[in-house]
Amino acid sequence: AQSVTQLDSQVPVFEEAPVELRCNYSSSVSVYLFWYVQYPNQGLQLLLKYLSGSTLVKGINGFEAEFNKSQTSFHLRKPSVHISDTAEYFCAVSGDRLNAGGTSYGKLTFGQGTILTVHP
Amino acid sequence: DGGITQSPKYLFRKEGQNVTLSCEQNLNHDAMYWYRQDPGQGLRLIYYSQIVNDFQKGDIAEGYSVSREKKESFPLTVTSAQKNPTAFYLCASSIRAGFGQPQHFGDGTRLSIL
């Protein structure tokens, strides 16, 4: 089974300060990793994804994340946050899963979310 | 612009009533998904469809039903058997089902009980 743990449910930070949102995962198979952002009463928007290659992944809005296989982590970082970054952030893992017919459907498992609040 | 359209944005259900949430995509994606979001619980998979005329149960399918008669449409029915339907429902799609495919989301439908 695969699982995702986001270590902080809420992260308050002042504008222009750096921020790190922590994500740990567990899986018995190789995984792909994602970070999504959700603004109030909206759907999820893909921030970045790790599929293979360089362990440092850059995404939209100045965010980046580092894949650490030995620590099974995929923490999200931004060097300087803005008020507009206030939102909920979800880490997700895609492991290879088979449906009843034996076909891979790439199940996405989400963490519980981290609410980032940027104060002026 | 291509995207996923969910309607209505807000929906109210009476006791014993079935309600249907609409999800339409014009991304030409093969795979579509329904998730339920509750505060502090992340997203949980209700049903998914890898291709037209096919769908599979996710982790919390009880009390829900779906159909996939057209590639662009994947409606979700919340039946009276779902005893706690109040939640935010999100529809998503991906180019195809499979390992590592990023999913694109609609803006959700918020369902409440009258």
Side-chain angles (χ1 to χ4, degrees):
Chain A
Q2 59 194 32
S3 66
V4 178
T5 302
Q6 292 184 239
L7 298 163
D8 305 291
S9 60
Q10 297 193 48
V11 173
V13 65
F14 286 108
E15 194 173 18
E16 297 183 5
V19 70
E20 178 180 81
L21 306 184
R22 298 180 293 167
C23 172
N24 286 99
Y25 70 92
S26 66
S27 176
S28 58
V29 297
S30 298
V31 295
Y32 294 146
L33 294 153
F34 304 85
W35 274 100
Y36 285 87
V37 60
Q38 183 180 35
Y39 300 102
N41 292 312
Q42 292 186 25
L44 276 65
Q45 179 183 1
L46 182 66
L47 270 180
L48 48 80
K49 58 181 184 267
Y50 172 77
L51 303 182
S52 63
S54 172
T55 56
L56 183 63
V57 181
K58 294 192 182 297
I60 63 171
N61 301 342
F63 284 92
E64 63 181 32
E66 185 158 19
F67 171 60
N68 188 319
K69 188 174 182 179
S70 62
Q71 297 187 5
T72 61
S73 68
F74 191 54
H75 300 333
L76 181 71
R77 302 185 182 102
K78 186 170 182 178
S80 176
V81 294
H82 302 289
I83 297 288
S84 59
D85 292 322
T86 295
E88 189 163 16
Y89 293 78
F90 290 93
C91 181
V93 59
S94 172
D96 205 0
R97 286 292 178 268
L98 303 180
N99 65 16
T103 304
S104 170
Y105 74 95
K107 177 183 169 71
L108 259 189
T109 299
F110 289 85
Q112 298 89 337
T114 298
I115 297 173
L116 173 65
T117 304
V118 181
H119 297 283
Chain B
D1 279 344
I4 299 174
T5 301
Q6 290 188 242
S7 61
K9 194 169 180 65
Y10 299 95
L11 187 58
F12 298 91
R13 194 191 90 170
K14 296 179 182 178
E15 292 288 339
Q17 185 181 43
N18 293 353
V19 291
T20 297
L21 285 60
S22 171
C23 177
E24 303 278 331
Q25 56 101 353
N26 61 3
L27 299 167
N28 200 32
H29 287 177
D30 283 333
M32 297 186 75
Y33 312 81
W34 273 106
Y35 293 92
R36 171 180 171 137
Q37 184 178 17
D38 296 282
Q41 294 194 45
L43 277 69
R44 293 180 289 168
L45 182 65
I46 305 172
Y47 268 97
Y48 67 98
S49 169
Q50 295 178 271
I51 200 165
V52 175
N53 293 322
D54 176 75
F55 51 83
Q56 306 284 342
K57 292 182 179 180
D59 299 321
I60 55 164
E62 185 174 351
Y64 300 97
S65 66
V66 293
S67 63
R68 186 86 188 276
E69 298 176 0
K70 298 187 295 183
K71 185 175 184 177
E72 58 270 24
S73 178
F74 191 41
L76 173 74
T77 296
V78 184
T79 75
S80 57
Q82 172 50 245
K83 297 307 180 188
N84 183 24
T86 298
F88 192 48
Y89 290 87
L90 288 161
C91 180
S93 70
S94 59
I95 292 174
R96 56 187 176 276
F99 190 28
Q101 292 296 320
Q103 295 179 15
H104 303 263
F105 287 81
D107 279 341
T109 292
R110 190 168 297 280
L111 176 62
S112 303
I113 296 297
L114 280 178

